Every structure is written in structure tokens, then in C-alpha cells.
Amino acid sequence: MRRAIYPGTFDPITNGHLDIIERSARLFDEVIIALLMNIEKSPMFSIQERVEMIQEVNRWSHVKVDTFQGLLVHYAASQKAQVIVRGIRAVSDYEYELQMALMNRRLEPQLETMFMMSAEEYSHLSSSLIKEVFLLGGSITGLVPDAVEQRMQSKVGKVKG
Ligand code: COA
């Protein structure tokens, strides 16, 4: 049983993330999308909303959604996962990802990090950029799933009253 973890903040999930999930789903028997309960970032969506959005767009029966806090390596061990999947978009991601991968390897030598190249059309995306463009009235169609765009619209609608 080859089980991989795809960790992140997913605030919200983008088509770039989905591209990596699709690639991972082809390679592993089970993929767990693991949302970090991150106290440092101030998210647009609650952890519950982010989980729901991922469940809405998840079309693979062997891809699960879960949340975690604490060290990723501890979570991976608790799930008996052998691999952490991370998407690499541009060269600028590399340094940060290398640091994390090497620290995780030091903490848990049996756990492997696998990097996947994002599809070219999503290589400029980040959740923050999408939120910024959306909040300033720009189009994000094609960058996030329709269900996510609708959620963003209703969230902003509520804020604006
Ligand atoms: N396409 C589009 N965008 C992508 C993407 C892809 N393929 N992959 C990542 N992104 C974006 C995300 O949307 C996010 O954007 P944002 O910063 O604007 O929100 C950004 O890249 C960073 O993304 P994310 O994947 O959420 O990672 P992260 O850097 O927030 O978190 C963890 C990384 C969760 C893996 C890491 O913090 C962790 O393991 N934490 C647990 C504690 C721990 O173990 N610490 C020690 C680590 S050595």
C-alpha cells in the first residue's frame, strides 16, 4: 500500500493544487490531502470550509481529506505514509522546499519527499494572489474550481452585507 500525504494550507484549493492531486492520484494507492491548522496565517476560510471545498471537488475515491497540527513527520507516521508530495512551481519555490525536505528527512529518514512540477498554466498561481485579484474585482475563472469561486463570492457578499 503506497500512501502519500499532500500537505498545505489550501486557503482555498486552486486548480494548481488539483493538478498536483491528479498527478499523485495516478501514482499512489491512497493520497491524503492534509490541511495544516496554521496559526500563523490568517485564512479567508475556516478549516471546516476548506475541508468542505476540497471534498466538493475531490473526484477520486482513493484521495482523502484530513487536518493536522504539529510536525508533518509525526502526522505522516501516524498515517503510515511513505511519501510527502509537494508541488514546485518556479525556481523560487526550490530553496524553501529543499530546506523543508532536508529537515523532514533528518527528523524521519524513512519518509521521502517527492516533488512534482505544476502544470505550466498554473505555475504562477498562489492562493494569496488569487484572493487578492478576486477581492479587487479581477477574474479568477479557470484558476480555481467553480465551486470555490462560488464560495468566494458568497463569502465576500456576506462581508460587504
Ligand atoms: N499550484 C498553485 N499554488 C500552489 C501550488 C500549486 N501546485 N503549491 C503550492 N501553492 C501555493 C499555495 O496556494 C500557497 O499559497 P499562499 O502562500 O499564497 O497561501 C503557497 O503556495 C504555499 O503553500 P502551501 O502548499 O499551503 O504550503 P505552506 O508553505 O503553507 O505549508 C507545510 C507547508 C504545511 C508543508 C509546512 O508548513 C509544514 O509541514 N508544517 C507543519 C509543521 C512542520 O512539520 N514544520 C517543520 C517543517 S520542516
Side-chain angles (χ1 to χ4, degrees):
M1 177 86 172
R2 305 305 286 172
R3 185 177 287 125
I5 303 225
Y6 181 42
T9 310
F10 303 104
D11 183 45
I13 188 162
T14 70
N15 285 345
H17 294 130
L18 272 177
D19 171 61
I20 298 291
I21 294 164
E22 183 167 13
R23 289 169 200 280
S24 310
R26 277 190 230 125
L27 295 176
F28 296 98
D29 301 312
E30 188 172 294
V31 177
I32 303 175
I33 306 172
L35 279 84
L36 173 68
M37 300 202 226
N38 196 341
I39 35 169
E40 279 166 29
K41 289 192 179 181
S42 44
M44 179 178 206
F45 293 100
S46 70
I47 196 91
Q48 184 57 35
E49 289 171 315
R50 282 179 270 153
V51 167
E52 282 168 17
M53 281 188 280
I54 298 175
Q55 280 163 345
E56 277 167 30
V57 299
N58 179 12
R59 51 184 192 273
W60 303 274
S61 57
H62 63 301
V63 175
K64 319 273 180 218
V65 190
D66 196 10
T67 58
F68 77 104
Q69 44 193 328
L71 280 182
L72 177 60
V73 292
H74 289 164
Y75 174 72
S78 76
Q79 299 301 310
K80 298 189 170 56
Q82 302 91 350
V83 175
I84 294 171
V85 169
R86 294 289 290 167
I88 295 257
R89 292 160 295 175
V91 183
S92 48
D93 282 344
Y94 178 76
E95 210 165 321
Y96 172 59
E97 293 296 337
L98 180 72
Q99 276 181 2
M100 276 206 302
L102 292 179
M103 179 58 84
N104 284 333
R105 179 180 284 167
R106 188 190 161 93
L107 293 167
E108 184 49 69
Q110 300 301 318
L111 187 64
E112 207 56 62
T113 300
M114 184 186 268
F115 295 114
M116 290 189 193
M117 301 301 154
S118 295
E120 238 173 279
E121 62 262 45
Y122 306 130
S123 61
H124 58 291
L125 285 192
S126 76
S127 297
S128 303
L129 205 56
I130 286 173
K131 283 181 281 189
E132 183 179 329
V133 169
F134 179 79
L135 290 171
L136 295 173
S139 169
I140 55 161
T141 302
L143 304 182
V144 293
D146 291 345
V148 170
E149 192 173 346
Q150 281 159 20
R151 287 249 189 179
M152 289 176 81
Q153 262 152 9
S154 56
K155 172 132 297 210
V156 169
K158 267 185 209 147
V159 173
K160 286 184 178 161

